[in-house]
């Protein structure tokens, strides 16, 4: 829809009539896109190219605002829309650490700037999080405990769709992008579109009465599957407990107990590989190795030097790189790995022969030596061995700001009060914050397209988390582009040529 139709009366009245209960009629007015001000901005990209766009900012996306600092969104419309009225909307969440985020403006150094340059409409919503508070009757109220951050993004999406006739681009092509806790939100938004579990919450907030489905989810290193992440971490990294990890005796007991719970979980997923073989706890590590081998292999193909000293990858024959440079870190202008300019890539005759296997334990020790591992339990840590809450304990906390455990395991292992139970409300919150619970064959709540990345040396969560997410999505019939980029730590919005090439391909269909 083009901008000159903002005040087109027929469209406005049609939208107001279309507003269903429980919103009041004047709530519908509040949710209409009618910005009083816009500004013209020029963003200079790292390539020095100037990208001109119009900014519409500080727009409230719910009728019942609880936290005015965070419950707003910004919309950015490039001068040239790449697909006219059918231009996709690139929605970037800046949630990190399960914390609140304000609505931000585009950055030349991440995917938002690139999206504008490529002619996409960009939306950047704020959202409440573990640290957002308001003061009520002299009391501090925590407003962003789970699932409120997720609800805010859903409400922002509903706002875009509700105003689809008024906002340039199409809400039927929303692509959500996030990193880490933001990657988890992207996965949740992408799996829970229009799920009834969220209806009551959203209607209480005064979210627009329309669909919150998205077209595609981009998940960089999603910190998700939180209620299984501890066991997945220990099952994978337990091999380092007596080596590089330096755990004490008590920690090793916790680690071993957690690891012992993981096989039953892996087997319960009933995942299958590309050849339809069942993936079980017995063959899972071989499955994981296929992704790491593909990653190392691609890096070699692209001219990356993988030193023998990390002792991880065995070559059938050591390639001679003839002095090709290691990555220079500046390939796409954002510190992403650039594995050497394409023209300098070594020509392999039989590329698939070079990486034959990985000694997984050694490789995991290498990962742990680059960034020290989390101590067990890695996520639901509060009250188990130490009393320090993690971001996850905080986001599952209550309105008074008291953190909470979110696994039966950690509750049982609390130092002081190990008889506490999760309770029905908390169990429901934990359930709806796990995207794995919403993926089934051709589920209508699930976005059709997925781009998932987790760095091959990212230890913030176990490799099992992104692999299970990607595999379950693929097994359920969805389009999944998944990779563990070599030598990547915990990070997002890298290799933007890859990402935007993929976005171009899915939005052309
Ligand atoms: C993030 C990182 C973590 O290791 C974690 O446990 C939660 C969130 C983050 O970067 O968003």
């Amino acid at each position: 829809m083009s901008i000159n139709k903002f005040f087109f009366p027929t469209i406005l009245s049609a939208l107001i009539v279309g507003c269903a209960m429980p919103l009041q009629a004047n709530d519908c007015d509040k949710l209409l896109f009618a910005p009083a001000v816009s500004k013209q901005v020029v963003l200079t990209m790292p390539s020095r190219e100037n990208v001109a766009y119009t900014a519409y900012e500080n727009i409230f996306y719910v009728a019942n605002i609880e936290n005015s600092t965070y419950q707003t969104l910004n919309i950015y419309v490039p001068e040239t829309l790449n697909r006219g009225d059918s231009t996709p909307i690139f929605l970037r969440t800046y949630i990190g650490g399960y914390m609140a985020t304000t609505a931000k403006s585009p950055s030349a150094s991440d995917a938002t700037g690139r999206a504008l340059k490529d002619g996409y409409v960009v939306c950047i919503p704020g959202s409440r999080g573990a640290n957002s508070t308001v003061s009520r009757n002299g009391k501090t109220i925590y407003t962003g405990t789970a699932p409120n951050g997720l609800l805010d993004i859903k409400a922002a999406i509903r706002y875009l769709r509700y105003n689809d006739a008024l906002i340039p681009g199409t809400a039927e092509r929303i692509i959500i992008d996030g990193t880490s806790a933001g990657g988890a939100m992207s996965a949740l938004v992408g799996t829970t579109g229009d799920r009834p579990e969220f209806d009551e919450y959203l209607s209480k907030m005064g979210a627009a009465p329309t669909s919150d489905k998205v077209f595609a989810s981009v998940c960089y290193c999603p910190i998700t599957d939180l209620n299984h992440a501890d066991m997945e971490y220990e099952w994978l990294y337990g091999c380092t407990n007596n080596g590089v990890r330096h755990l004490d005796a008590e920690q090793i007991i916790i680690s071993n107990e957690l690891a012992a719970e993981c096989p039953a979980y892996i087997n319960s997923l009933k995942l299958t590989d590309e050849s339809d073989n069942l993936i079980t706890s017995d063959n899972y590590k071989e499955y994981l190795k296929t992704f790491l081998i593909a990653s190392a292999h691609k890096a070699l193909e692209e001219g990356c030097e993988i030193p023998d000293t990390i002792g991880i990858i065995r070559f059938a024959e050591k390639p001679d790189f003839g002095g090709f440079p290691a990555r220079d870190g500046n390939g796409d202008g954002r510190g992403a790995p650039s594995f050497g300019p394409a023209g300098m890539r070594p020509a392999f005759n039989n590329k698939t022969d070079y990486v034959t296997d990985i000694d997984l334990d050694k490789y995991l020790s290498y990962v742990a030596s680059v960034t020290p591992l989390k101590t067990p339990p890695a996520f639901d840590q509060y009250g188990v061995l130490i009393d320090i809450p993690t971001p996850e304990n905080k986001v599952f906390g209550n309105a008074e700001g008291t953190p909470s455990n979110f696994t039966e395991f950690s509750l049982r292992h609390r130092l002081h009060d190990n008889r506490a139970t999760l309770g029905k409300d908390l169990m429901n919150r934990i359930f709806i914050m796990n995207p794995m619970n919403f993926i089934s064959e051709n589920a209508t709540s699930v976005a059709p397209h997925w781009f998932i990345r987790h760095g091959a040396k990212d230890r913030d969560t176990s490799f099992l988390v992104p692999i299970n997410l990607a595999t379950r999505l693929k097994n359920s019939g969805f389009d999944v582009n998944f990779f563990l980029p070599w030598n990547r730590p915990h990070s997002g919005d890298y290799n933007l040529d890859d990402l935007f090439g993929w976005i171009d391909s899915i939005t052309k269909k």
Side-chain angles (χ1 to χ4, degrees):
M1 175 53 64
S2 61
I3 302 226
N4 58 13
K5 290 181 188 162
F6 278 170
F7 302 107
F8 197 55
T10 323
I11 293 174
L12 288 187
S13 53
L15 282 168
I16 291 166
V17 170
C19 182
M21 289 299 285
L23 283 186
Q24 306 298 314
N26 63 343
D27 285 346
C28 299
D29 290 351
K30 284 188 207 162
L31 291 173
L32 280 180
F33 178 68
V37 271
S38 64
K39 55 181 187 189
Q40 305 302 315
V41 187
V42 174
L43 187 68
T44 303
M45 300 299 290
S47 61
R48 302 206 181 284
E49 187 180 339
N50 284 333
V51 180
Y53 61 90
T54 308
Y56 304 93
E57 296 180 320
N58 302 316
I59 301 165
F60 291 108
Y61 53 69
V62 285
N64 307 326
I65 301 153
E66 182 180 43
N67 210 321
S68 58
T69 313
Y70 300 112
Q71 292 181 294
T72 70
L73 58 77
N74 297 340
I75 295 172
Y76 302 98
V77 181
E79 216 161 55
T80 318
L81 295 172
N82 71 8
R83 305 227 196 319
D85 278 355
S86 353
T87 296
I89 301 175
F90 187 80
L91 187 150
R92 171 68 148 95
T93 168
Y94 282 98
I95 290 178
Y98 283 99
M99 299 296 165
T101 172
T102 53
K104 302 257 189 294
S105 51
S107 162
S109 61
D110 70 18
T112 54
R114 173 62 182 259
L116 283 173
K117 179 175 100 62
D118 284 5
Y120 295 99
V121 174
V122 170
C123 173
I124 309 180
S127 47
R128 295 166 294 171
N131 58 338
S132 58
T133 59
V134 291
S135 180
R136 226 176 273 150
N137 304 326
K139 275 197 192 150
T140 300
I141 309 288
Y142 282 76
T143 58
T145 56
N148 292 358
L150 171 60
L151 297 175
D152 283 349
I153 304 176
K154 282 176 162 290
I157 290 164
R158 287 180 171 210
Y159 181 93
L160 294 175
R161 189 171 269 105
Y162 187 66
N163 289 290
D164 203 17
L166 304 172
I167 297 173
T170 173
E172 297 313 316
R173 288 274 190 279
I174 294 174
I175 298 151
I176 179 170
D177 168 36
T179 296
S180 196
M185 291 299 173
S186 186
L188 278 161
V189 164
T191 49
T192 65
D194 294 350
R195 284 291 302 210
E197 289 84 346
F198 298 89
D199 279 349
E200 199 180 325
Y201 291 112
L202 285 162
S203 78
K204 269 194 196 144
M205 291 161 63
T210 184
S211 167
D212 48 55
K213 284 188 187 180
V214 293
F215 179 67
S217 279
V218 176
C219 312
Y220 284 99
C221 51
I223 298 286
T224 194
D225 198 11
L226 296 177
N227 48 321
H228 301 108
D230 289 332
M231 60 178 81
E232 295 176 303
Y233 205 81
E234 299 312 316
W235 186 77
L236 189 68
Y237 284 113
C239 60
T240 68
N241 284 354
N242 293 310
V244 63
R245 201 177 186 190
H246 302 301
L247 294 189
D248 66 26
E250 279 184 322
Q251 289 171 321
I252 286 181
I253 291 170
I254 294 289
S255 172
N256 290 342
E257 283 188 33
L258 276 166
E261 295 199 355
C262 194
Y265 176 58
I266 291 175
N267 295 332
S268 76
L269 293 173
K270 302 203 177 351
L271 302 174
T272 55
D273 69 11
E274 295 280 275
S275 319
D276 248 5
N277 299 311
L278 188 66
I279 300 161
T280 66
S281 57
D282 291 336
N283 60 21
Y284 196 101
K285 285 182 180 162
E286 291 305 311
Y287 184 57
L288 161 59
K289 277 161 60 170
T290 65
F291 292 101
L292 291 169
I293 288 173
S295 173
H297 192 88
K298 182 161 184 280
L300 285 184
E301 277 186 347
E302 296 183 346
C304 178
E305 289 177 9
I306 299 177
D308 281 346
T309 48
I310 60 176
I312 297 154
I313 297 163
R314 300 202 307 263
F315 306 117
E317 184 187 328
K318 186 166 182 280
D320 175 9
F321 289 108
F324 287 111
R327 68 199 64 193
D328 60 21
N330 290 317
D332 64 3
R334 293 165 189 82
S338 121
F339 299 113
M344 295 175 71
R345 285 177 192 170
F348 291 158
N349 295 327
N350 185 6
K351 295 171 184 168
T352 49
D353 280 344
Y354 287 101
V355 183
T356 53
D357 199 3
I358 288 185
D359 179 334
L360 192 59
D361 287 2
K362 266 196 197 167
Y363 182 71
L364 294 169
S365 291
Y366 157 71
V367 173
S369 72
V370 177
T371 312
L373 295 177
K374 298 179 176 185
T375 52
F379 297 90
D380 193 5
Q381 163 187 282
Y382 184 50
V384 183
L385 303 182
I386 45 174
D387 260 335
I388 302 168
T390 61
E392 292 80 7
N393 291 130
K394 290 181 189 166
V395 84
F396 282 116
N398 63 21
E400 285 79 50
T402 308
S404 179
N405 291 105
F406 50 90
T407 62
E408 298 280 357
F409 181 94
S410 289
L411 276 182
R412 280 201 312 273
H413 290 79
R414 283 181 66 83
L415 283 176
H416 307 301
D417 51 352
N418 64 4
R419 277 173 304 178
T421 55
L422 286 172
K424 203 168 155 217
D425 178 60
L426 184 56
M427 273 171 70
N428 179 54
R429 291 166 60 207
I430 296 162
F431 183 87
I432 64 177
M433 285 297 287
N434 191 332
M436 296 294 283
N437 293 328
F438 297 95
I439 307 167
S440 59
E441 208 158 317
N442 301 320
T444 57
S445 69
V446 178
H449 303 287
W450 290 79
F451 186 93
I452 304 173
R453 293 290 182 271
H454 179 103
K457 65 174 186 188
D458 180 346
R459 72 12 136 199
D460 274 49
T461 194
S462 162
F463 293 119
L464 277 70
V465 170
I467 289 177
N468 293 345
L469 175 67
T471 307
R472 177 164 264 199
L473 284 162
K474 199 159 202 303
N475 289 172
S476 303
F478 300 98
D479 166 34
V480 185
N481 183 313
F482 175 55
F483 203 67
L484 304 178
W486 186 251
N487 203 27
R488 256 284 146 199
H490 193 63
S491 51
D493 276 18
Y494 46 78
N495 288 352
L496 295 178
D497 287 348
D498 268 9
L499 172 62
F500 281 86
W502 177 80
I503 291 175
D504 192 49
S505 75
I506 60 162
T507 53
K508 262 190 188 142
K509 286 174 191 160

